[in-house]
Amino acid sequence: MLSGHQDLPDGIGMARLAWTRLPTADGAGTEGAVPASPSVAGDELFAGNVESLDYEVFENYAYREEQAQRSKFWVPYYIMLKWLFSLLIGVGTGLAAIFINLAVENFSGWKYAATFAIIQHSYFVGFLVYIVFNLALVFSSVYIVTNFAPAAAGSGIPEIKGYLNGVDTHGILLFRTLVGKIFGSIGSVGGGLALGKEGPLVHTGACIASLLGQGGSAKYHLSSRWVRIFESDRDRRDLVTCGCAAGVAAAFRAPVGGVLFALEEVTSWWRSHLMWRVFFTSAVVAVVVQSAMNWCKSGKCGHFGSGGFIIWEISGGQEDYSYQELLPMTIIGVVGGLLGALFNQLTLYITKWRRTYLHKKGKRVKIFEACLISLITSTISFVLPLMRKCSPCPRLETNSGIECPRPPGTDGNFVNFYCSKDNEYNDLATIFFNTQDDAIRNLFSAKTFHEYSAQSLITFLVMFYSLAVVTFGTAVPAGQFIPGIMIGSTYGRLVGMFVVKFYKKLNVEEGTYALLGAASFLGGSMRMTVSLCVIMVEITNNLKLLPLIMLVLLISKAVGDFFNEGLYEVQAQLRGIPLLDSRPKQVMRNMSSKDACKNQKVVSLPRVSRIVDIISVLRSNKHNGFPVVDRGQNGESLVIGLILRSHLLVLLQSKADFQNSPFPCGPGILNRHNTSDFVKPASSKGKSIDDIHLTEDELGLYLDLAPFLNPSPYIVPEDMSLAKVYNLFRQLGLRHIFVVPRPSRVVGLITRQDLLLEENANNVTTELQSTSVRGQLNGKMLSGSSHLGHPLLDSVVIEE
């Protein structure tokens, strides 16, 4: 029965030599069951549409054979394709951002132009037109999301962060999600809701990267086989990381900020080669976006003016600051932390209520909710400026480039709305009757003292904050960057007005404090520091403000962390995405790996299994990985590897490897599969046990699992601390870890020198001894020689 075992790859045989005899798990009735990691059964705890990713290399026979057959030109070809795909991701994300911004700016321009043309004759008719225009755009957005792309709702950043952390949520990277994200963002942002398009752009870039990596979408017949080289989850992870950075670079025209955002906020795994490709992708995005803006300057883009792409030039503002200003700046940081933490908590409560009671009632309720919020938002933004008294235009410097008043629908300050005289403006309408990008420019603008009254800013802050809290969580694509900047810049400008009035001799700009307020709220809500600091510097083009931005960010993050977690972490937890933080919990240091899995009933499969038994195992539990056991020469149970549920489903559906004999197969039938046969498309549900249809005769056949299992999964001893297991699991991006008893014998040790293959051939040092040298000292090591305590010997023990 074991004779065929010698014909298999070395991995199976090494597994027999490396692993000790494993006893039956406590409480498990199946002979040969092995203790398993929390991840083996842990997938059952996840939500139904969430599944762990396989970032580990699955070194089965098909993988080894494919690696052996590759020519010496494959590696340069592989590297070249990676850089080519980085280029394509940058171009694709840049074009998507251009399209979204052009559409939003033109829809907003048409809306404001039509509204202000009609209110010259009737404010009530203009109000109706304004409401209908916004309602139509929001309805188109929510209808697309609810009926075509449900995964396009929200910002998508928590889901992408989960993907890069090792958790795949169904539908987040599909082609229809990409389409729904683009057109849904146009409708929701153009419809005037209190949300932004920057978060959805990050999700858009990730979708473009994933679709390119898997060769397009087979469902919609938009695929190409020649680019299907990045089929593993590891390769897709790198591409999605590039897509996330490209999205931020396209949204803010901040390529360096995009790289740091991907490093700090979304990805859990990073290396220098990936950083260069991410940086290249972000640079490509910046070139594409800048080229589009230069082309639009000729007037070919309709209502798209100098606005549309987020950049707020305030280099002409405050250039220096005094130590006396540190106190109000500290206050801005504290207020940002408090309001940001409150925002996170309120959105958590409302989203929980919405998911529990509202969204369970069906699509119509989601559509009605979004339309109702659109109606309320339009009413508030139109009626509140009517209640505000107009102010006379201030005296402006001739070279300031600012007019008073400016016509609505264009980027500029001092909007004339419901004013009795031509030389007056409505400060509240200046914020409400502009796109959010233009409103932020107005709040950040320099040389505009006394443009806003304190009453108008407080009114806008209260109303917009409330609208942002209520709008977040509706069934439309929604980002929180721009609402956060709007909220923060409002109270920041309020503090700036106080500083201007109190410190009359200082060269103080209200727009500078608006910028610091925006940074403080984002730091208090999203808890980003380095990447957000660089983004704010890039979009304002003012490096002198860097120390002040750092100050308010550090304060706001510290204050926010005192109350709750960041916005993306809270939303990921609410969506059932099991994120692994960068550090384990303190309690894990007092727990062993055996403690974490002691209550599990481990389900294992014999090497040669009957088809009917495999079907029964797959139907009776939801595990995604199964230990495979075999009998040793002495009749003892030995674990020879791990096989995934998805691989079993592929084998059952193909039926090509079924056999009549209950004995191990020979090497002649191992060439029927390659690694691409076992690849699951990104964010898809993959195959299900319900898709398998077998006859009675086929159920009585056998399947040898040895050629298809991973013969070298990661294993840990049962008394290892759970904190070390946690770090190993997260840093390597694992899905399963086997927990085993203490090994009985040491086969050898691996040091740093053994891993430097080129140097081993020429040089062996005394500090980092090679395997051959240690082999002569094996007896001394086993007898407790002091060699094991050598301070320079960093080694890995190979045990049996």
Side-chain angles (χ1 to χ4, degrees), residues 226-368:
W226 72 272
V227 295
R228 293 183 186 175
I229 190 173
F230 304 108
E231 293 181 321
S232 70
D233 289 333
R234 294 167 62 92
D235 291 330
R236 290 175 184 167
R237 173 182 60 186
D238 293 353
L239 295 177
V240 170
T241 303
C242 292
C244 291
V248 174
F252 296 102
R253 284 175 57 195
V256 179
V259 176
L260 294 177
F261 175 82
L263 171 61
E264 178 185 8
E265 187 62 26
V266 293
T267 188
S268 302
W269 188 83
W270 195 262
R271 68 182 190 277
S272 59
H273 293 295
L274 177 60
M275 182 182 70
W276 280 112
R277 289 199 302 275
V278 171
F279 185 76
F280 173 70
T281 304
S282 300
V284 170
V285 171
V287 172
V288 172
V289 172
Q290 186 61 46
S291 301
M293 293 191 66
N294 294 336
W295 183 71
C296 287
K297 287 181 179 179
S298 60
K300 299 178 181 179
C301 300
H303 287 274
F304 183 87
S306 60
F309 289 105
I310 310 257
I311 186 163
W312 304 297
E313 177 70 55
I314 63 169
S315 56
Q318 182 175 343
E319 296 183 356
D320 199 3
Y321 50 91
S322 169
Y323 72 92
Q324 296 174 322
E325 297 180 71
L326 294 180
L327 177 59
M329 291 175 182
T330 303
I331 294 175
I332 288 178
V334 174
V335 172
L338 293 175
L339 290 181
L342 178 63
F343 183 88
N344 294 357
Q345 204 65 35
L346 290 176
T347 54
L348 175 63
Y349 290 150
I350 293 178
T351 305
K352 277 185 177 180
W353 174 84
R354 180 180 279 127
R355 288 172 173 264
T356 304
Y357 300 104
L358 203 61
H359 286 179
K360 287 184 177 181
K361 297 181 179 180
K363 299 178 181 178
R364 293 184 179 180
V365 175
K366 295 181 181 180
I367 295 175
F368 176 78

Side-chain angles (χ1 to χ4, degrees), residues 193-196 338-354 359 369 373 377 380 436 460-476 478-480 482-484 486-487 521 525 567 571 574:
L193 294 179
L195 44 82
L338 293 175
L339 290 181
L342 178 63
F343 183 88
N344 294 357
Q345 204 65 35
L346 290 176
T347 54
L348 175 63
Y349 290 150
I350 293 178
T351 305
K352 277 185 177 180
W353 174 84
R354 180 180 279 127
H359 286 179
E369 178 200 20
I373 292 177
T377 303
I380 290 175
Q436 293 182 8
F460 177 79
L461 175 62
V462 173
M463 298 310 300
F464 193 83
Y465 190 94
S466 303
L467 290 173
V469 169
V470 174
T471 306
F472 187 84
T474 53
V476 295
Q480 287 305 308
I482 294 304
M486 289 280 288
I487 294 169
F521 185 83
S525 176
L567 178 65
Q571 293 301 316
L574 186 62

Side-chain angles (χ1 to χ4, degrees), residues 75 276 309 334 338 440 523 563 581 585 619 671 719 746 769:
V75 173
W276 280 112
F309 289 105
V334 174
L338 293 175
I440 293 170
F563 294 99
D581 295 331
K585 302 295 183 183
R619 289 189 182 278
N671 299 324
D719 56 351
V746 177
Q769 300 186 35

